[in-house]
Amino acid sequence: MFIEPAETQVRVLTTEQTGRLDAALNAIAADPTDVKPHATASALRDFQHDGIRVIFYATALGSILIVTYVEAD
């Protein structure tokens, strides 16, 4: 699930960037707890790989990921 500003950020990605984002989200979904905590907000996780950055948090059971920020180069 994407919330602002991630919703807006995803809308402007290119097809290639969207493909890399999909791969990143699949990697995150495999084990969200394996992603390093965000530097300034311990409830958030910060995933960076292949020019994609995703900041998110997982629900209590880890079954739903809430994406708060997306960045692609």
Side-chain angles (χ1 to χ4, degrees):
M1 167 183 276
F2 292 89
I3 61 173
E4 286 299 337
E7 285 181 333
T8 300
Q9 294 160 335
V10 167
R11 285 190 209 112
V12 299
L13 295 179
T14 66
T15 302
E16 186 269 333
Q17 290 170 325
T18 301
R20 289 188 287 137
L21 175 61
D22 286 343
L25 292 173
N26 285 332
I28 292 167
D31 189 2
T33 60
D34 195 36
V35 178
K36 72 175 183 162
H38 188 271
T40 60
S42 62
L44 296 175
R45 301 284 177 168
D46 191 344
F47 180 87
Q48 296 180 49
H49 180 73
D50 195 25
I52 297 291
R53 182 179 188 195
V54 178
I55 298 176
F56 69 96
Y57 64 92
T59 58
L61 298 176
S63 59
I64 299 174
L65 301 176
I66 311 298
V67 178
T68 61
Y69 180 83
V70 173
E71 183 179 300
D73 65 3

